[in-house]
Amino acid sequence: MKRVFIHTFGCQMNVNDTMRMSEALASMKYSPTPVAENADLIILNTCSIREKAEDKMLSALGRYRQVKLQRGALIGVGGCVAQQEKNRILEKVPYVDFVFGPDAIQKLPEILQRVEADRVRVVETAWVDSESYVFPRADPSTSRGKATEFVTVMKGCDNVCSFCVVPHTRGREVSRPFTDVLTEVASLTTVGVREVTLVGQNVNSYLGGISFAQLLLRTAEVPGIERVRFTTSHPHDLSDELVEAFRLQPKIMGHFHLPVQSGSDQVLVRMRRDYTVVEYLERLAKLRAARPTIAVTTDIIVGFPGETDEDFEKTYALTEQVRYAGQFSFVYSPRPKTGAAMREAEWGSVPHEVKVARLEKLNALQKRISSELNAQQVGKTVQVLVEGSSRTDATRRFGRTEHNTTVNFDGDAPIGALVQVQLASSSAASLSGKQVSIESMPSVLIPEVAAVPEVCLT
Ligand code: SF4
């Protein structure tokens, strides 16, 4: 058996792709290792959403060069940077053996055979036509040991947000037939999975034979599934039907990630986001009417070209008004071939120090709001799905609330149990408490030592 180490950068789509890579490589007798120095094959599953992610990839490649020199390990680069920058990677990093795009994951065995047999550098970044694209079917055995799992429902994006590289790296939207999604969800329950997160770049424009709202409702009805989540969504596709699904089905967890990106209409127009702040708030109001306790999180870009102090203050005020449970905020960085990168000179760059100061101010606000929202939970008893031992204290248990908030607690329930936890303290990032009862046990006993492929997130 040979060993593969996969270093995953970026989002949950990439985490999911890493799982599919591990499965494809199992047919070549590669098993996952969490230690790069032990690997015969190192793959970097890259992200190009921000410039920093690319820099991190290059610095990781520098570190893995030693493993190549010492063990002769093969090195491959996959994911979004590979799709967009294949020539630059091959030129800049002569010890990379192969480069493959997101559509070529299933071709990994074939790519490796060519690299090993012919000793050539291989590039495989062709798009698969939407009509012929086949989603890799997950092997449920690789999810053994997990109470919660991702399920891909679509790939690509048909929007043209001017800052975003995804349409260039992941191609057009393709939805996975709903029957395939439901079959995969059912197969995951046989190894103990009780919660699934349906993932795609813009899941609420799903067109796999039924609407996304119907897909959520059908997923919640799969025997053995207790919780359903999804990510990520574009506000203009947040339909009334989806809002209604939150009213109808309590197994759809009360957390909605709804990226707003900016609180200024002028900036939203330049971003090509296709909604105004008022429209965004109207959709949010409907959602909160359907599920009053819902936790809303968001993405915000600070320092987009042309963003004035006044524009930024509107984003700041919106954060205060919505009281997000959390947000992923980043300073704008131009990405290749995007509309914003091409028009930055015309719209006006925001100086780096201004961007950083705005980001720090926004992060401080969000930290205060998250702390306040979590503090309001203290004293309450909430449902938690047990995912394993606490990462900060192995004698404690770890899981998440319906709002997707991390909870560390004293208790003894096994992975996959749904427990009631009384909350005693909080921080901006997590909650802490003690187990007071076990609501339901998993139908499959899940081993404590996870047997899933190791993922190294950066
Ligand atoms: S909706 Fe916009 S930000 Fe999201 S993936 Fe598509 S183009 Fe990128």
Side-chain angles (χ1 to χ4, degrees):
M1 204 76 176
K2 290 181 274 188
R3 283 171 287 202
V4 56
F5 172 82
I6 306 180
H7 187 151
T8 310
F9 298 82
C11 66
Q12 285 160 335
M13 289 293 290
N14 267 17
V15 174
N16 202 39
D17 283 353
T18 289
M19 297 287 289
R20 304 291 84 78
M21 287 177 200
S22 291
E23 288 164 13
L25 289 166
S27 68
M28 296 281 290
K29 304 269 180 279
Y30 277 95
S31 67
T33 170
V35 184
E37 287 68 27
N38 294 341
D40 304 291
L41 168 64
I42 294 174
I43 293 179
L44 286 83
N45 186 10
T46 62
C47 167
S48 62
I49 206 88
R50 276 172 280 280
E51 211 166 18
K52 232 175 163 183
E54 257 184 66
D55 295 344
K56 283 183 180 172
M57 173 206 75
L58 288 170
S59 98
L61 273 171
R63 291 199 304 276
Y64 299 143
R65 183 162 182 253
Q66 278 309 313
V67 189
K68 182 163 195 86
L69 291 173
Q70 284 162 7
R71 295 179 53 88
L74 295 173
I75 297 184
V77 180
C80 292
V81 181
Q83 184 69 37
Q84 230 189 355
E85 301 288 349
K86 51 185 177 286
N87 295 331
R88 205 157 67 90
I89 293 169
L90 290 172
E91 266 169 43
K92 231 174 157 174
V93 196
Y95 49 90
V96 164
D97 297 288
F98 60 98
V99 175
F100 62 106
D103 275 10
I105 293 173
Q106 291 183 91
K107 287 188 177 165
L108 260 178
E110 191 189 306
I111 293 170
L112 264 178
Q113 267 165 4
R114 281 165 59 199
V115 173
E116 286 173 350
D118 303 339
R119 293 277 148 204
V120 289
R121 300 175 92 193
V122 174
V123 178
E124 188 60 68
T125 52
W127 294 118
V128 176
D129 286 346
S130 303
E131 300 71 40
S132 19
Y133 187 84
V134 178
F135 287 83
R137 169 78 55 86
D139 173 358
S141 68
T142 58
S143 299
R144 206 179 294 282
K146 297 171 91 177
T148 179
E149 189 54 285
F150 298 121
V151 175
T152 306
V153 301
M154 64 181 302
K155 70 134 206 156
C157 183
D158 286 350
N159 291 306
V160 283
C161 303
S162 66
F163 53 83
C164 185
V165 78
V166 165
H168 305 281
T169 59
R170 299 253 170 190
R172 303 299 303 265
E173 282 177 13
V174 185
S175 293
R176 188 177 186 188
F178 77 95
T179 45
D180 275 17
V181 174
L182 296 175
T183 302
E184 186 163 308
V185 171
S187 74
L188 289 169
T189 64
T190 64
V191 294
V193 169
R194 301 184 84 189
E195 175 186 275
V196 287
T197 303
L198 306 185
V199 292
Q201 298 296 343
N202 184 20
V203 285
N204 27 0
S205 66
Y206 175 80
L207 287 171
I210 55 177
S211 68
F212 184 63
Q214 287 162 5
L215 181 68
L216 280 177
L217 294 170
R218 296 277 293 266
T219 302
E221 285 165 9
V222 172
I225 289 298
E226 301 297 337
R227 292 173 151 206
V228 183
R229 302 183 186 278
F230 59 94
T231 194
T232 187
S233 308
H234 192 299
H236 77 64
D237 292 318
L238 203 183
S239 64
D240 289 347
E241 191 192 11
L242 183 55
V243 170
E244 191 57 21
F246 274 88
R247 199 190 305 274
L248 291 173
Q249 179 50 272
K251 286 185 182 178
I252 300 174
M253 292 290 94
H255 169 226
F256 206 117
H257 186 69
L258 196 59
V260 68
Q261 306 298 0
S262 172
S264 159
D265 285 343
Q266 283 74 23
V267 175
L268 289 174
V269 167
R270 287 199 295 278
M271 287 178 164
R272 302 192 64 172
R273 287 294 285 177
D274 205 18
Y275 53 82
T276 63
V277 173
V278 166
E279 286 164 350
Y280 178 89
L281 289 171
E282 280 169 2
R283 278 162 205 164
L284 212 51
K286 282 187 181 176
L287 201 54
R288 282 179 164 162
R291 186 73 71 86
T293 57
I294 198 161
V296 180
T297 53
T298 198
D299 296 336
I300 288 177
I301 296 174
V302 172
F304 188 77
E307 184 191 72
T308 61
D309 284 342
E310 196 188 333
D311 291 324
F312 171 71
E313 288 307 323
K314 287 178 180 170
T315 302
Y316 190 87
L318 183 73
T319 296
E320 188 83 85
Q321 181 183 352
V322 173
R323 288 182 69 75
Y324 291 109
Q327 63 176 259
F328 299 100
S329 322
F330 297 94
V331 294
Y332 169 78
S333 60
R335 310 310 302 126
K337 297 186 188 157
T338 58
M342 288 186 243
R343 299 188 65 182
E344 184 164 357
E346 176 194 338
W347 292 339
S349 299
V350 177
H352 182 69
E353 60 280 9
V354 175
K355 285 183 195 168
V356 171
R358 286 178 187 168
L359 182 66
E360 283 173 358
K361 185 174 171 182
L362 192 60
N363 281 342
L365 172 64
Q366 184 57 58
K367 191 171 178 191
R368 171 171 67 74
I369 294 170
S370 299
S371 300
E372 288 168 2
L373 292 174
N374 284 345
Q376 286 167 10
Q377 300 298 309
V378 173
K380 292 184 183 166
T381 299
V382 297
Q383 187 199 62
V384 172
L385 176 64
V386 183
E387 293 182 34
S389 299
S390 164
R391 286 164 199 166
T392 50
D393 176 353
T395 64
R396 307 187 82 205
R397 309 299 282 157
F398 156 84
R400 284 170 213 275
T401 66
E402 72 154 321
H403 298 140
N404 211 29
T405 310
T406 297
V407 184
N408 296 298
F409 62 96
D410 299 318
D412 57 4
I415 296 176
L418 279 167
V419 296
Q420 290 290 322
V421 173
Q422 187 171 37
L423 300 172
S425 63
S426 68
S427 69
S430 65
L431 298 162
S432 178
K434 68 166 194 268
Q435 175 188 317
V436 290
S437 63
I438 294 181
E439 200 177 299
S440 67
M441 291 288 277
S443 57
V444 178
L445 196 60
I446 300 176
E448 278 296 317
V449 180
V452 292
E454 293 290 342
V455 169
C456 175
L457 275 172
T458 300

